[in-house]
Amino acid sequence: ASSGDRSWVFQSCLAHCSSSGCTRLPHAGHKQPGMPGASPVPLPLRLFRWSCEDDCKYHCMEAEHGGSPQLQRLPVEKYHGKWPFRRVAGMQELLSVLASLANLAAHAVAGMAATRSPGGVGTGGLDGALCRLPYPFLGLWTAYSALHLNAWLWSALFHCRDTRTTERLDYCSAVAVVAAGLAAAMARPLWGRTRRRRVAAVTAVAGVVAGLIAHLRYMLTVKFDYGWNMQVCVAASVATALIWLVWVWAVRHPARSRMTAFLLLAHAAMLLEVLDFPPPTASGRLLDAHAAWHWATVPLTALFYSWLQADADW
Protein backbone atom coordinates (compact mmCIF):
# COMPACT_ATOMS: atom_id res chain seq x y z
CA ALA A 1 0.00 0.00 0.00
CA SER A 2 1.04 3.60 -0.67
CA SER A 3 -0.01 6.95 0.76
CA GLY A 4 -2.53 7.59 -2.01
CA ASP A 5 -4.48 4.34 -1.75
CA ARG A 6 -4.45 4.56 2.05
CA SER A 7 -6.25 7.92 2.03
CA TRP A 8 -9.85 8.11 3.30
CA VAL A 9 -11.03 9.85 0.11
CA PHE A 10 -9.66 7.11 -2.13
CA GLN A 11 -10.95 4.27 0.04
CA SER A 12 -14.41 5.86 0.24
CA CYS A 13 -14.54 6.30 -3.52
CA LEU A 14 -13.37 2.72 -4.08
CA ALA A 15 -15.95 1.26 -1.69
CA HIS A 16 -18.76 3.23 -3.35
CA CYS A 17 -17.64 2.32 -6.87
CA SER A 18 -17.21 -1.41 -6.13
CA SER A 19 -20.51 -1.71 -4.24
CA SER A 20 -22.36 -0.20 -7.21
CA GLY A 21 -21.01 -2.89 -9.53
CA CYS A 22 -18.97 -0.31 -11.42
CA THR A 23 -22.09 1.24 -12.90
CA ARG A 24 -21.24 4.75 -11.65
CA LEU A 25 -17.68 5.21 -12.84
CA PRO A 26 -17.27 8.97 -13.25
CA HIS A 27 -15.48 8.89 -16.62
CA ALA A 28 -16.55 5.51 -18.03
CA GLY A 29 -19.14 5.21 -20.74
CA HIS A 30 -19.94 1.58 -20.03
CA LYS A 31 -21.44 -0.63 -17.39
CA GLN A 32 -20.47 -4.09 -16.34
CA PRO A 33 -21.93 -6.92 -18.47
CA GLY A 34 -25.17 -8.21 -17.07
CA MET A 35 -26.16 -4.87 -15.50
CA PRO A 36 -29.28 -3.04 -16.74
CA GLY A 37 -28.43 -0.90 -19.74
CA ALA A 38 -24.93 -2.34 -19.95
CA SER A 39 -22.86 -1.64 -23.04
CA PRO A 40 -19.79 -3.60 -24.18
CA VAL A 41 -16.64 -2.97 -22.18
CA PRO A 42 -14.13 -1.14 -24.44
CA LEU A 43 -11.77 -3.50 -26.23
CA PRO A 44 -8.52 -2.05 -24.73
CA LEU A 45 -9.83 -2.71 -21.21
CA ARG A 46 -10.83 -6.25 -22.11
CA LEU A 47 -7.52 -6.85 -23.87
CA PHE A 48 -5.53 -5.86 -20.78
CA ARG A 49 -7.96 -7.60 -18.41
CA TRP A 50 -9.18 -4.63 -16.36
CA SER A 51 -11.56 -5.95 -13.72
CA CYS A 52 -14.35 -3.96 -12.10
CA GLU A 53 -12.21 -3.33 -9.01
CA ASP A 54 -9.15 -2.36 -11.06
CA ASP A 55 -11.19 0.09 -13.11
CA CYS A 56 -12.64 1.57 -9.92
CA LYS A 57 -9.12 2.07 -8.53
CA TYR A 58 -8.06 3.91 -11.67
CA HIS A 59 -11.07 6.22 -11.76
CA CYS A 60 -10.90 6.96 -8.03
CA MET A 61 -7.25 7.90 -8.53
CA GLU A 62 -8.26 10.07 -11.49
CA ALA A 63 -10.88 11.78 -9.35
CA GLU A 64 -8.11 12.90 -7.00
CA HIS A 65 -5.37 13.82 -9.48
CA GLY A 66 -6.82 14.09 -12.96
CA GLY A 67 -9.62 16.53 -12.36
CA SER A 68 -9.69 20.27 -11.77
CA PRO A 69 -6.61 22.50 -11.70
CA GLN A 70 -7.15 22.94 -7.96
CA LEU A 71 -6.82 19.19 -7.42
CA GLN A 72 -3.79 18.99 -9.72
CA ARG A 73 -1.93 21.46 -7.48
CA LEU A 74 -2.16 19.05 -4.53
CA PRO A 75 0.94 16.95 -3.67
CA VAL A 76 1.13 13.92 -5.95
CA GLU A 77 0.71 10.64 -4.10
CA LYS A 78 1.54 7.10 -5.17
CA TYR A 79 -1.19 4.49 -5.49
CA HIS A 80 -0.25 0.84 -4.98
CA GLY A 81 3.41 1.74 -5.52
CA LYS A 82 2.86 3.72 -8.73
CA TRP A 83 2.47 7.36 -9.63
CA PRO A 84 -0.97 8.38 -10.97
CA PHE A 85 -0.37 7.89 -14.70
CA ARG A 86 -2.99 8.65 -17.30
CA ARG A 87 -4.23 5.43 -18.90
CA VAL A 88 -3.99 5.27 -22.70
CA ALA A 89 -5.73 2.52 -24.69
CA GLY A 90 -5.81 0.33 -21.58
CA MET A 91 -2.06 0.73 -20.96
CA GLN A 92 -1.01 2.07 -17.57
CA GLU A 93 2.39 3.56 -18.52
CA LEU A 94 2.45 4.28 -22.24
CA LEU A 95 5.89 5.91 -22.48
CA SER A 96 7.53 3.15 -20.42
CA VAL A 97 5.93 0.59 -22.76
CA LEU A 98 7.29 2.37 -25.83
CA ALA A 99 10.74 2.79 -24.23
CA SER A 100 10.87 -0.92 -23.35
CA LEU A 101 10.00 -1.86 -26.94
CA ALA A 102 12.63 0.59 -28.21
CA ASN A 103 15.25 -1.08 -26.00
CA LEU A 104 14.14 -4.51 -27.19
CA ALA A 105 14.50 -3.41 -30.82
CA ALA A 106 17.90 -1.84 -30.11
CA HIS A 107 19.24 -5.10 -28.67
CA ALA A 108 17.78 -7.16 -31.52
CA VAL A 109 19.29 -4.92 -34.20
CA ALA A 110 22.67 -4.54 -32.50
CA GLY A 111 22.87 -8.25 -31.69
CA MET A 112 22.15 -9.23 -35.29
CA ALA A 113 24.68 -6.71 -36.59
CA ALA A 114 27.35 -8.18 -34.34
CA THR A 115 26.84 -11.72 -35.60
CA ARG A 116 25.84 -11.21 -39.23
CA SER A 117 28.04 -10.36 -42.18
CA PRO A 118 27.95 -6.79 -43.54
CA GLY A 119 26.12 -8.06 -46.61
CA GLY A 120 23.20 -9.49 -44.67
CA VAL A 121 21.86 -12.89 -43.70
CA GLY A 122 21.77 -14.36 -47.13
CA THR A 123 25.20 -13.35 -48.33
CA GLY A 124 27.64 -14.47 -45.71
CA GLY A 125 25.96 -16.23 -42.85
CA LEU A 126 27.28 -16.01 -39.33
CA ASP A 127 30.62 -14.36 -39.89
CA GLY A 128 30.20 -11.10 -37.97
CA ALA A 129 32.73 -9.82 -35.49
CA LEU A 130 31.56 -11.99 -32.62
CA CYS A 131 31.79 -15.15 -34.72
CA ARG A 132 35.39 -14.74 -35.77
CA LEU A 133 37.41 -17.62 -34.36
CA PRO A 134 38.98 -18.07 -31.92
CA TYR A 135 36.72 -15.62 -30.02
CA PRO A 136 35.41 -17.88 -27.23
CA PHE A 137 32.66 -15.67 -25.84
CA LEU A 138 30.04 -15.93 -28.57
CA GLY A 139 27.83 -18.19 -26.44
CA LEU A 140 28.18 -15.93 -23.41
CA TRP A 141 27.17 -12.76 -25.26
CA THR A 142 24.41 -14.52 -27.18
CA ALA A 143 22.87 -15.62 -23.88
CA TYR A 144 23.36 -12.10 -22.51
CA SER A 145 21.55 -10.61 -25.51
CA ALA A 146 18.72 -13.15 -25.26
CA LEU A 147 18.22 -12.29 -21.57
CA HIS A 148 17.98 -8.62 -22.50
CA LEU A 149 15.35 -9.33 -25.16
CA ASN A 150 13.34 -11.35 -22.65
CA ALA A 151 13.66 -8.65 -19.96
CA TRP A 152 12.54 -5.82 -22.23
CA LEU A 153 9.59 -7.86 -23.46
CA TRP A 154 8.35 -8.43 -19.93
CA SER A 155 9.09 -4.82 -19.05
CA ALA A 156 6.76 -3.72 -21.85
CA LEU A 157 4.02 -6.12 -20.73
CA PHE A 158 4.42 -5.09 -17.08
CA HIS A 159 4.09 -1.41 -17.93
CA CYS A 160 1.07 -2.20 -20.09
CA ARG A 161 -0.67 -3.82 -17.14
CA ASP A 162 0.67 -4.26 -13.63
CA THR A 163 -0.51 -7.65 -12.33
CA ARG A 164 1.05 -10.12 -9.92
CA THR A 165 2.26 -12.27 -12.83
CA THR A 166 3.68 -9.48 -15.02
CA GLU A 167 5.34 -7.85 -12.02
CA ARG A 168 7.19 -11.00 -11.00
CA LEU A 169 8.23 -11.84 -14.54
CA ASP A 170 9.50 -8.29 -15.05
CA TYR A 171 11.49 -8.21 -11.79
CA CYS A 172 12.91 -11.72 -12.24
CA SER A 173 13.90 -11.04 -15.85
CA ALA A 174 15.59 -7.78 -14.86
CA VAL A 175 17.62 -9.34 -12.04
CA ALA A 176 18.67 -12.13 -14.42
CA VAL A 177 20.10 -9.47 -16.76
CA VAL A 178 22.01 -7.89 -13.86
CA ALA A 179 23.39 -11.31 -12.89
CA ALA A 180 24.38 -12.02 -16.50
CA GLY A 181 26.25 -8.74 -16.63
CA LEU A 182 28.19 -9.62 -13.48
CA ALA A 183 28.94 -13.12 -14.78
CA ALA A 184 30.25 -11.71 -18.06
CA ALA A 185 32.39 -9.13 -16.24
CA MET A 186 33.98 -11.93 -14.21
CA ALA A 187 34.35 -14.48 -17.01
CA ARG A 188 35.92 -12.18 -19.61
CA PRO A 189 38.96 -11.08 -17.51
CA LEU A 190 39.47 -14.51 -15.91
CA TRP A 191 39.39 -16.52 -19.14
CA GLY A 192 42.78 -17.40 -20.57
CA ARG A 193 44.80 -20.05 -22.35
CA THR A 194 45.62 -22.07 -19.25
CA ARG A 195 43.26 -24.64 -17.77
CA ARG A 196 43.51 -22.94 -14.38
CA ARG A 197 42.20 -19.63 -15.71
CA ARG A 198 39.36 -21.28 -17.58
CA VAL A 199 38.31 -23.24 -14.50
CA ALA A 200 38.35 -19.99 -12.53
CA ALA A 201 36.12 -18.31 -15.12
CA VAL A 202 33.63 -21.18 -15.17
CA THR A 203 33.61 -21.31 -11.36
CA ALA A 204 32.88 -17.58 -11.16
CA VAL A 205 29.97 -17.86 -13.58
CA ALA A 206 28.61 -20.87 -11.68
CA GLY A 207 28.80 -18.89 -8.45
CA VAL A 208 26.80 -16.02 -9.96
CA VAL A 209 24.19 -18.45 -11.31
CA ALA A 210 23.88 -20.10 -7.89
CA GLY A 211 23.46 -16.67 -6.29
CA LEU A 212 20.78 -15.76 -8.83
CA ILE A 213 18.85 -18.96 -8.15
CA ALA A 214 19.01 -18.38 -4.38
CA HIS A 215 17.85 -14.78 -4.78
CA LEU A 216 14.93 -15.71 -7.04
CA ARG A 217 13.92 -18.52 -4.70
CA TYR A 218 13.80 -16.08 -1.79
CA MET A 219 11.85 -13.48 -3.77
CA LEU A 220 9.29 -15.96 -5.11
CA THR A 221 8.80 -18.29 -2.16
CA VAL A 222 9.73 -16.35 1.00
CA LYS A 223 9.13 -12.63 0.49
CA PHE A 224 8.88 -10.46 -2.60
CA ASP A 225 11.05 -7.76 -1.04
CA TYR A 226 11.39 -4.70 -3.30
CA GLY A 227 13.98 -3.01 -1.09
CA TRP A 228 16.22 -6.07 -0.84
CA ASN A 229 15.95 -6.68 -4.59
CA MET A 230 17.03 -3.09 -5.28
CA GLN A 231 20.02 -3.43 -2.93
CA VAL A 232 21.12 -6.65 -4.64
CA CYS A 233 20.80 -5.15 -8.11
CA VAL A 234 22.66 -1.95 -7.20
CA ALA A 235 25.48 -3.88 -5.49
CA ALA A 236 25.84 -6.25 -8.47
CA SER A 237 25.77 -3.36 -10.96
CA VAL A 238 28.44 -1.40 -9.09
CA ALA A 239 30.63 -4.52 -8.81
CA THR A 240 30.19 -5.16 -12.54
CA ALA A 241 31.21 -1.61 -13.43
CA LEU A 242 34.28 -1.69 -11.17
CA ILE A 243 35.46 -5.02 -12.60
CA TRP A 244 35.15 -3.78 -16.19
CA LEU A 245 36.87 -0.48 -15.46
CA VAL A 246 39.82 -2.07 -13.65
CA TRP A 247 40.27 -4.74 -16.32
CA VAL A 248 40.00 -2.65 -19.51
CA TRP A 249 42.51 -0.12 -18.19
CA ALA A 250 44.84 -2.73 -16.64
CA VAL A 251 45.17 -4.63 -19.93
CA ARG A 252 45.03 -1.42 -22.01
CA HIS A 253 42.10 -2.70 -24.05
CA PRO A 254 41.94 -0.83 -27.38
CA ALA A 255 38.27 0.04 -26.74
CA ARG A 256 38.72 0.93 -23.07
CA SER A 257 37.48 4.49 -23.57
CA ARG A 258 34.33 3.12 -25.18
CA MET A 259 33.58 0.84 -22.23
CA THR A 260 34.34 3.65 -19.79
CA ALA A 261 31.94 5.98 -21.60
CA PHE A 262 29.23 3.30 -21.61
CA LEU A 263 29.56 2.63 -17.88
CA LEU A 264 29.58 6.30 -16.92
CA LEU A 265 26.54 7.09 -19.08
CA ALA A 266 24.64 3.99 -17.94
CA HIS A 267 25.13 4.82 -14.27
CA ALA A 268 24.32 8.49 -14.87
CA ALA A 269 21.05 7.37 -16.48
CA MET A 270 20.38 5.17 -13.45
CA LEU A 271 20.22 8.32 -11.33
CA LEU A 272 16.84 9.00 -12.95
CA GLU A 273 15.51 5.87 -11.26
CA VAL A 274 16.87 7.09 -7.93
CA LEU A 275 15.26 10.54 -8.34
CA ASP A 276 11.83 8.95 -8.92
CA PHE A 277 9.95 12.13 -9.81
CA PRO A 278 6.19 11.91 -10.55
CA PRO A 279 4.73 12.44 -14.05
CA PRO A 280 4.20 16.19 -14.44
CA THR A 281 0.91 17.53 -15.78
CA ALA A 282 2.82 19.12 -18.68
CA SER A 283 3.70 15.61 -19.93
CA GLY A 284 0.05 14.57 -19.88
CA ARG A 285 0.91 12.53 -16.78
CA LEU A 286 2.76 10.06 -18.99
CA LEU A 287 6.49 10.63 -18.32
CA ASP A 288 8.07 9.90 -14.92
CA ALA A 289 11.68 9.25 -13.88
CA HIS A 290 11.40 5.52 -14.59
CA ALA A 291 10.22 6.10 -18.17
CA ALA A 292 12.97 8.68 -18.70
CA TRP A 293 15.53 6.13 -17.48
CA HIS A 294 14.28 3.56 -19.98
CA TRP A 295 14.51 6.06 -22.84
CA ALA A 296 18.03 7.05 -21.77
CA THR A 297 19.27 3.46 -22.12
CA VAL A 298 18.17 3.07 -25.76
CA PRO A 299 21.15 4.84 -27.43
CA LEU A 300 23.60 3.19 -25.00
CA THR A 301 22.87 -0.24 -26.47
CA ALA A 302 24.71 0.47 -29.73
CA LEU A 303 27.69 1.79 -27.76
CA PHE A 304 27.95 -1.43 -25.75
CA TYR A 305 27.69 -3.71 -28.79
CA SER A 306 30.34 -1.65 -30.57
CA TRP A 307 32.63 -2.45 -27.63
CA LEU A 308 31.82 -6.16 -28.07
CA GLN A 309 32.82 -6.03 -31.72
CA ALA A 310 36.04 -4.23 -30.80
CA ASP A 311 36.73 -6.90 -28.19
CA ALA A 312 36.23 -9.63 -30.78
CA ASP A 313 38.66 -7.89 -33.14
CA TRP A 314 41.28 -7.50 -30.43
Side-chain angles (χ1 to χ4, degrees):
S2 301
S3 56
D5 53 89
R6 286 196 302 264
S7 72
W8 179 87
V9 175
F10 179 83
Q11 289 296 330
S12 177
C13 173
L14 181 60
H16 178 72
C17 178
S18 300
S19 64
S20 70
C22 301
T23 60
R24 300 177 185 176
L25 290 173
H27 306 297
H30 66 274
K31 299 179 180 180
Q32 288 296 100
M35 299 296 294
S39 58
V41 177
L43 178 61
L45 300 188
R46 284 184 281 137
L47 179 64
F48 291 108
R49 302 176 67 86
W50 284 84
S51 66
C52 167
E53 182 181 1
D54 293 333
D55 211 13
C56 279
K57 290 178 181 177
Y58 172 74
H59 286 292
C60 287
M61 178 193 73
E62 280 288 286
E64 288 197 71
H65 289 283
S68 67
Q70 290 79 12
L71 287 175
Q72 292 176 5
R73 285 197 291 268
L74 294 174
V76 181
E77 306 283 355
K78 283 189 175 184
Y79 295 81
H80 303 283
K82 286 183 173 290
W83 294 114
F85 294 96
R86 181 164 62 87
R87 187 172 65 186
V88 179
M91 291 179 283
Q92 288 176 286
E93 301 175 57
L94 176 64
L95 290 186
S96 287
V97 173
L98 296 178
S100 297
L101 294 176
N103 275 285
L104 189 153
H107 275 277
V109 171
M112 290 180 63
T115 55
R116 297 286 179 182
S117 67
V121 177
T123 59
L126 296 175
D127 62 352
L130 298 189
C131 295
R132 294 172 191 156
L133 296 177
Y135 189 68
F137 305 106
L138 175 62
L140 176 68
W141 293 120
T142 299
Y144 181 78
S145 181
L147 286 172
H148 267 282
L149 295 176
N150 174 72
W152 287 117
L153 173 63
W154 284 113
S155 174
L157 292 173
F158 171 63
H159 291 304
C160 278
R161 185 74 172 88
D162 180 358
T163 67
R164 178 184 174 87
T165 299
T166 57
E167 178 187 55
R168 277 150 177 73
L169 287 168
D170 174 56
Y171 274 72
C172 292
S173 298
V175 76
V177 166
V178 173
L182 179 59
M186 297 177 75
R188 180 63 186 91
L190 287 173
W191 189 270
R193 295 182 179 180
T194 66
R195 183 176 182 275
R196 183 177 180 180
R197 292 193 63 177
R198 295 185 180 188
V199 169
V202 172
T203 302
V205 171
V208 173
V209 171
L212 172 64
I213 292 173
H215 178 69
L216 292 179
R217 180 180 178 278
Y218 173 80
M219 291 285 291
L220 295 174
T221 63
V222 179
K223 180 183 179 182
F224 202 80
D225 192 327
Y226 300 96
W228 169 246
N229 185 69
M230 177 63 75
Q231 292 175 28
V232 170
C233 288
V234 169
S237 297
V238 171
T240 300
L242 290 176
I243 293 171
W244 280 125
L245 285 174
V246 170
W247 180 70
V248 295
W249 286 97
V251 300
R252 301 188 63 79
H253 195 286
R256 56 189 178 277
S257 59
R258 213 174 303 178
M259 173 58 85
T260 303
F262 168 77
L263 292 172
L264 291 176
L265 291 172
H267 283 76
M270 196 182 296
L271 292 176
L272 289 168
E273 179 75 350
V274 177
L275 293 174
D276 192 27
F277 59 78
T281 305
S283 73
R285 291 183 22 247
L286 295 174
L287 179 69
D288 72 330
H290 187 79
W293 174 43
H294 282 343
W295 281 111
T297 60
V298 176
L300 299 182
T301 304
L303 180 60
F304 178 75
Y305 279 89
S306 71
W307 180 86
L308 285 186
Q309 296 194 52
D311 187 54
D313 289 332
W314 185 34

